[in-house]
Amino acid sequence: MVYTDTRDKSVKADFKTAVLNGMNASTGGLYIPTSFPKINKSYIDRTPEPSFREIAFEMAKPYVEGEIPDSDLDAIIQDAYPFMPQVVPIDKVTYVLELFHGPTCAFKDFGARFMARVMSYFNRSENDNLHILVATSGDTGSAVGSAFHNVPGIDVTILYPDGKISPLQEKQLSTFDGNVRALKVKGNFDDCQKLVKTAFTDKDLRNKFRLSSANSINISRLLPQSFYYMYSALVVKNRIPQDSKIDTPAIIAVVPSGNFGNLTSGLIAYEMGAPITGFLAATNSNHTIPDWIATGNYKARDSVATLSNAMDVGAPSNYERIAAMYSLEQVRQLFASYWTDDAGTLEAIKRCNEKTGYVIDPHGAVAWKAWDEMRRSGMKDLVAGAKGDINKPGMTANIPSWASEVTDGKAVGIVLETAHPAKFGQTVQNAINRSPSMPDRLERVMNLEDHAIPMEKDYESFKDWLTSNL
Ligand SMILES: *Cc1c(COP(=O)(O)O)cnc(C)c1O
């Protein structure tokens, strides 16, 4: 596969370059495949549907062709995914896609574990370790740390702001041993990020060590997230005849979004032929993308803190990829979009539980609410001419090409549940008056001893530490 750049279409790169560079430093653009090959139709029509790992292999193959042979790709996938997404029906037309069955209980495990193994693969013939530096304000650190733990040829240093992340998050990223270390920095997240950025531009350090980042813009994190869209759409397609008896239903993927990486992965699956009709993009009060869809003006802004904090992004980095793949008019045909505030999020956790019995986390709740409102009255109102006020929670005014499927009752929703509710236990408890059950793997990590290393926020202290410890 040839990869190009969102800012300069004359750029041509192979997969290895795109993965190891992360972004294109000379343009500031993001790597993107030049085509999205369609999956064989016989595959999509198979009943029962192929397994998750089979789908993962088929979908990854064209993107690594010529660089990773089939047998090695298969080994990477088997090793990355000892767990699976789960499709859970909660009413006749609503399926929750649980993406939290990986080690850190959040959907980022799907992307991070594939990226870690691909990086290790491309580093296999080097004598020196590749050193990953990552600054985190919470969740990314644990997904990246866990994904690289014990992966050969790579070590990871995680920087987080001391005292500014939740106790569970701190345990999740500071209790690794071996190749994953955590530094608790006496400062805030911006200080952590500054230390990492300074290290990347420090020639002296770069001459001594091979440094790399593992952030969410890496194409090797986006591609594997497309696997679960294809898988869940095929599972749902095969179930609908029993569940809701709708003839040729429209499948709508409902995606709780921050940086819009997850949604971009959905677009990749759509282009590859997943039986998905459209997308419902759901955000919290950080509604930069809904506003863009509504007004046509993309205006990045500072983020505001919300209960679904992994979606607190005011300048979504994957806007660039979406705008490189589609015109605004195409986006308005393909997406409905919606946002809600914290009061709406709490209400959604409560109502979802009352109506369906399902305990949903604050991120998934934003998506569930978007779907619930759209299918009950939101789309009808839009079609009837409601304008949609972008300053108030609710749907934006664009009418996607599939609107009549919703108003005719011929649509089903796949609501992506991106984190286990126990990771946000207090918020869930506030909404439903009981705490969600705690999975064993979270319980276990709470009892581990942490090995975080205290670090000052000045660059010299950090550099000294790197020089004597890498
Ligand atoms: C990162 C994250 C999101 C947002 O995903 P994007 O790809 O940034 O849109 C949503 N929910 C949870 C739990 C997350 O960790």
Side-chain angles (χ1 to χ4, degrees):
M1 173 65 67
V2 178
Y3 292 78
T4 187
D5 176 327
T6 49
R7 297 194 184 173
D8 179 358
K9 289 279 156 63
S10 71
V11 168
K12 288 188 171 49
D14 59 10
F15 185 54
K16 180 177 180 177
T17 307
V19 170
L20 294 182
N21 288 354
M23 70 190 293
N24 187 356
S26 58
T27 63
L30 307 182
Y31 290 109
I32 186 166
T34 49
S35 69
F36 301 97
K38 289 260 187 284
I39 288 283
N40 198 320
K41 181 98 173 44
S42 68
Y43 219 76
I44 288 175
D45 294 337
R46 228 163 85 184
T47 46
E49 64 284 341
S51 73
F52 174 71
R53 287 184 205 101
E54 258 184 277
I55 288 171
F57 177 83
E58 268 324 295
M59 289 184 79
K61 202 171 138 81
Y63 299 103
V64 307
E65 199 103 69
E67 298 181 70
I68 305 180
D70 284 0
S71 57
D72 292 328
L73 177 63
D74 189 51
I76 287 171
I77 283 168
Q78 300 298 331
D79 195 50
Y81 302 120
F83 57 92
M84 272 183 45
Q86 305 285 341
V87 177
V88 179
I90 61 168
D91 65 39
K92 277 191 174 165
V93 293
T94 308
Y95 299 85
V96 171
L97 174 57
E98 294 182 348
L99 299 172
F100 55 66
H101 295 282
T104 75
C105 297
F107 90 98
K108 291 190 173 67
D109 287 332
F110 282 95
R113 289 179 66 85
F114 185 80
M115 172 177 66
R117 281 148 190 82
V118 165
M119 281 186 165
S120 170
Y121 183 81
F122 285 136
N123 199 57
R124 70 198 184 288
S125 51
E126 302 286 340
N127 292 324
D128 297 330
N129 260 21
L130 189 63
H131 305 284
I132 307 278
L133 303 181
V134 53
T136 182
S137 55
D139 263 8
T140 307
S142 57
V144 169
S146 163
F148 282 98
H149 191 220
N150 293 333
V151 168
I154 300 192
D155 56 64
V156 179
T157 304
I158 302 167
L159 290 80
Y160 69 93
D162 192 6
K164 295 201 170 59
I165 68 175
S166 79
L168 176 61
Q169 284 176 330
E170 181 160 28
K171 283 287 188 182
Q172 277 197 299
L173 52 82
S174 65
T175 52
F176 296 108
D177 48 21
N179 67 331
V180 179
R181 283 94 35 116
L183 304 181
K184 51 177 171 188
V185 176
K186 294 193 183 65
N188 57 27
F189 172 62
D190 291 334
D191 294 317
C192 297
Q193 207 158 30
K194 213 166 110 197
L195 290 176
V196 169
K197 282 193 172 149
T198 312
F200 282 132
T201 53
D202 181 339
K203 286 217 172 67
D204 177 47
L205 202 65
R206 299 212 74 145
N207 283 336
K208 288 197 188 98
F209 303 112
R210 301 180 54 238
L211 301 179
S212 187
S213 72
N215 52 32
S216 64
I217 50 137
N218 198 298
I219 190 70
S220 67
R221 278 178 70 168
L222 278 199
L223 294 172
Q225 292 174 175
S226 67
F227 308 160
Y228 52 69
Y229 283 88
M230 180 71 78
Y231 172 72
S232 61
L234 297 183
V235 170
V236 166
K237 184 164 83 83
N238 286 338
R239 284 196 58 131
I240 288 170
Q242 294 88 48
D243 290 346
S244 53
K245 309 197 165 48
I246 300 172
D247 215 21
T248 58
I251 297 178
I252 309 301
V254 191
V255 190
S257 295
N259 252 324
F260 279 75
N262 198 3
L263 204 141
T264 305
S265 302
L267 297 171
I268 294 173
Y270 172 82
E271 290 297 328
M272 295 181 77
I276 293 173
T277 303
F279 295 86
L280 173 51
T283 76
N284 59 28
S285 297
N286 296 280
H287 44 92
T288 306
I289 295 279
D291 288 0
W292 168 59
I293 293 175
T295 66
N297 295 321
Y298 176 81
K299 205 160 120 271
R301 55 200 83 163
D302 290 340
S303 62
V304 297
T306 76
L307 294 174
S308 49
N309 55 41
M311 289 155 48
D312 293 350
V313 181
S317 48
N318 285 289
Y319 160 74
E320 250 193 77
R321 285 198 175 102
I322 296 172
M325 288 169 74
Y326 302 104
S327 69
L328 176 62
E329 214 26 64
Q330 288 173 316
V331 169
R332 286 172 169 163
Q333 294 294 313
L334 192 53
F335 293 26
S337 82
Y338 176 92
W339 71 274
T340 192
D341 56 15
D342 277 354
T345 305
L346 283 172
E347 187 206 52
I349 298 171
K350 183 160 179 274
R351 287 217 309 130
C352 177
N353 185 246
E354 284 167 0
K355 289 170 68 169
T356 72
Y358 193 81
V359 178
I360 202 159
D361 101 291
H363 303 80
V366 168
W368 178 81
K369 191 170 191 339
W371 166 247
D372 196 57
E373 285 194 23
M374 180 179 78
R375 76 171 160 121
R376 283 176 201 289
S377 59
M379 193 58 89
K380 277 200 191 88
D381 293 348
L382 283 186
V383 172
K387 288 280 181 284
D389 178 352
I390 63 163
N391 298 307
K392 295 214 186 84
M395 298 191 58
T396 62
N398 64 300
I399 299 173
S401 58
W402 42 267
S404 63
E405 308 275 351
V406 176
T407 52
D408 294 350
K410 293 190 65 179
V412 304
I414 300 180
V415 173
L416 277 67
E417 169 60 320
T418 47
H420 193 287
K423 291 189 86 169
F424 302 90
Q426 190 56 53
T427 300
V428 174
Q429 161 120 32
N430 293 347
I432 63 170
N433 286 320
R434 63 194 164 86
S435 50
S437 62
M438 180 70 88
D440 287 350
R441 58 201 187 287
L442 284 185
E443 185 106 51
R444 221 176 300 126
V445 81
M446 285 306 282
N447 298 321
L448 293 175
E449 194 189 330
D450 76 60
H451 312 294
I453 300 156
M455 179 59 54
E456 300 298 326
K457 68 175 179 182
D458 67 283
Y459 181 65
E460 284 314 307
S461 308
F462 178 53
K463 186 175 177 175
D464 283 349
W465 186 86
L466 287 177
T467 311
S468 35
N469 287 278
L470 286 191

